[in-house]
Amino acid sequence: MLSIGKSPGKLYLAGEYAVVETGFPAVIASVNQYVTVTVTESENGGTIQSKNLNKELIHWDRQGTDLVFDDTESQLAYILTAIKFVEKYALEKHKKLAYYDLLVTSELDSHDGKKFGLGSSAAVTVAVVKALGSFYGLNLSKMDVYKLASIAHLSVQGNGSLGDIAASAFGGIIAYRSPDRNWVFNMVRNHSLSKLLKLDWPNLRIEPLHLPKELEMVVGWTGSPASTSILVDRIALTKAQKVDKYQHFLKSSRQSVEQLIQGFRDNDAKMIKQMISSYRQVLTDLARFSDVHIETKMLTKLCDIAESLGGAAKTSGAGGGDCGIVISNKNLNIENLKSEWKKVGITPLQLKIGDIIDHA
Ligand code: PMV
Ligand code: MG
């Protein structure tokens, strides 16, 4: 028996950093590149195989005189934890556990193993949940997949919004509001997974959105990988020290993102472009008072070139490297944009918005 789970990578369109706070909104696009997990029943003894496992890049940061490592990027931790929770749920459903070979293949990294920052750990977690969910016949809905993958992801990486999990589980473009993760943590400790899957999670909201037909997304890659977890921790430090400025950031973020979401609902291309540019400014302000480099020199070039040609551009996600996104009218000269990017060392990625997932 062979079971397959496929899930897309993602890019933040707006709301990054603020979305880490319970209930704050973000807009996230899935992309048309995927992680695929296959699970094949085996006799007695199982294997886990992934090309990425051997050449992982480990980020480190300095805290005083100590080096701290970011081990939240280790794919194996996500795979093993996803397996653990799906099997716990399978046992609750009185399924018999089996042996299997699990294989991960990914289109989310470059051929030489570099990370584009498309959320591979989230996509891997979702794909494992889907593949094993189907292997054990668990009939998981998209929301079930989101919840199980979130529980697994939370227990490996404590500080994320889980927006990347939502984008991977639902596909398309979503408006996302993060659930109260302390509540989730406590519930996991004291209740069954079946109960957690049935309950509405406080503050969580996922709403599908559609890009107006006249718009498209263009993505450029800076070539330098960034660690989301380390950047989020640095912003958390600012939060404690610059309370007023941080609250002001949250307020401006919510204003822009709510207007962006309304722009999507109204199919208002102008509003969408305006709010993408406005969120670039929101992030620039956050970067300034927190002294965290979100828009690196390369990302500034990427955005400025795109803006000068008429697109709305910004960093995507935590920034500090990885990708920048452009939302533009389809009549923008994309070839011109790409050649200007290449001149300054930015790689255009052949990415489109991912399909909406119709069933898990
Ligand atoms: O850099 P990315 O694509 O992994 O996005 C991170 C987005 C943050 O809001 C900064 C963190 C999070 O968990 O939402
Ligand atoms: Mg990133």
Side-chain angles (χ1 to χ4, degrees), residues 117 228 316 318-319 322:
T228 297
S316 175
D322 288 341

Side-chain angles (χ1 to χ4, degrees), residues 124-167:
V124 165
T125 311
V126 169
V128 170
V129 169
K130 284 170 80 169
L132 267 190
S134 122
F135 181 75
Y136 284 121
L138 296 173
N139 284 321
L140 301 174
S141 68
K142 282 189 279 191
M143 190 52 108
D144 293 337
V145 170
Y146 164 81
K147 287 178 175 171
L148 277 175
S150 288
I151 291 166
H153 206 268
L154 254 183
S155 71
V156 183
Q157 186 200 317
N159 65 4
S161 66
L162 305 170
D164 42 7
I165 300 274

